[in-house]
């Protein structure tokens, strides 16, 4: 690897890494208390103790900080591997439910969607973050196919999207909170649909 | 009914009604060309030929106009009643797919979600609009229960939410467009899950 490390990634554990932790922690805490739209670089500087010019140089905007935060928070979601497809779906549904139910995560998501609506760069970053996350947990589906629990032509990304969609619909569209019933019904709905072959190649080989 | 008619609803077909049509049409057209955040009352006045002070008096803000537009557009969605639950689901999925795929509707929804993130009044209006719409099409599920196609304890709102969620997830979170496969898989997933009793009272009578 002769490629130059991405800006700000030098010296893991050093000053740059500490700066990142301080700023992301400040953003995370701020978004637990107030909305995305109320967040400014000056507030992040005050909360984190990092100079505003340093924050601006590294992340450019509040959106930049929050995209970095989303990437880090999302990657802490587990990819269950219990050996049983149905149980894996329930565990993943619980993790997505916990994630979407946390006020600060909802604030991050809503803020990014608002920003994405008028900034194609943010839109591309949101897409990449969620598509990347979806990609990662498709392992659950691939393992179920390997064990013969699902049809071989099951589209793994479709299954994961079907599992996650009800949580985002609940918090963003219906403006409600997550409950145990939604965790259970989302996992069971994805399970029964996948087992019935709904996410297979389809009548015209789509 | 001795209650005073709501502000602006007097004289159906008269000047007030024509004003409403002109302003909502202007908003609808503007949102097909540009994002919610670029829309102003002055632009709506220019496009509609209605004086800005009239628009401000009646709707107060751009959000007010767009909420009115959403209510009108949403209510034009059909409630299929073919006598067959599976077919009804496919027809409704097609209608939701057409609605969410139209750029101007996506702009309306994204703009409202952005506004809702920092204005509890808009949040309440978004909730009411979608909950109301969900309420209306639950007839599909109730008829299926009456015909014995579904368990009697099926929660109709859960079924409709399961059907609609993948469309909003696709456009808002994955930032993709709607295709025939999503229409088919959403309808089929809701069908198989509902038939399997997923949306019934649940193990602890939820």
């Amino acid at each position: 690897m002769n490629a130059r490390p991405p800006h700000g990634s030098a010296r893991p554990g050093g000053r740059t890494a500490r700066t990142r932790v301080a700023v992301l922690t400040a953003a995370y805490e701020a978004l637990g208390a107030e909305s995305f739209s109320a967040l400014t670089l000056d507030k992040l500087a005050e909360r984190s103790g990092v100079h505003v010019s340093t924050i601006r140089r590294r992340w450019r905007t509040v959106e930049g900080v929050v995209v970095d935060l989303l990437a880090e928070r999302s990657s802490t979601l587990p990819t269950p591997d219990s050996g049983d497809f149905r149980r894996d779906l329930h565990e993943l549904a619980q993790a997505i439910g916990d994630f979407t139910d946390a006020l600060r995560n909802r604030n991050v998501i809503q803020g990014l969607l608002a920003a994405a609506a008028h900034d194609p760069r943010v839109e591309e970053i949101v897409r990449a973050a969620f598509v990347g996350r979806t990609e990662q947990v498709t392992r659950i589906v691939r393992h179920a196919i390997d064990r013969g629990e699902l049809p071989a032509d099951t589209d793994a990304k479709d299954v994961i999207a079907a599992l996650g969609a009800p949580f985002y619909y609940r918090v963003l569209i219906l403006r409600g909170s997550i409950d145990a019933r939604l965790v259970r019904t989302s996992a069971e709905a994805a399970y029964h649909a996948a087992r019935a072959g709904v996410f297979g190649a389809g009548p015209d080989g789509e």
Side-chain angles (χ1 to χ4, degrees), chain A residues 27-149:
Chain A
Y28 183 70
E29 286 171 0
L31 288 165
E34 59 192 343
S35 77
F36 182 91
S37 60
L39 199 59
T40 62
L41 290 184
D42 285 329
K43 280 193 194 168
L44 284 177
E46 201 184 315
R47 271 184 180 265
S48 66
V50 174
H51 200 278
V52 68
S53 65
T54 306
I55 301 178
R56 186 172 291 115
R57 197 162 55 237
R58 176 152 177 188
W59 288 278
R60 216 174 53 81
T61 61
V62 170
E63 283 80 2
V65 175
V66 173
V67 161
D68 198 2
L69 178 63
L70 177 70
E72 195 189 73
R73 303 284 309 166
S74 294
S75 66
T76 64
L77 280 175
T79 302
D81 194 9
S82 68
D84 179 75
F85 176 54
R86 194 172 198 165
R87 185 165 167 187
D88 283 353
L89 286 177
H90 278 268
E91 284 181 22
L92 182 57
Q94 185 65 58
I96 299 172
D98 291 344
F99 179 79
T100 48
D101 200 38
L103 176 64
R104 43 172 60 89
N105 293 327
R106 282 212 301 279
N107 278 340
V108 167
I109 295 164
Q110 294 194 37
L112 286 175
L113 295 186
H118 55 264
D119 185 340
R121 287 165 308 180
V122 176
E123 170 152 52
E124 187 46 44
I125 288 165
V126 171
R127 192 202 322 266
F130 281 100
V131 168
R133 172 66 196 150
T134 303
E135 207 53 88
Q136 192 186 327
V137 291
T138 54
R139 204 169 58 195
I140 290 173
V141 180
R142 285 182 282 111
H143 286 183
I145 293 171
D146 291 346
R147 288 190 303 264
E149 288 193 76

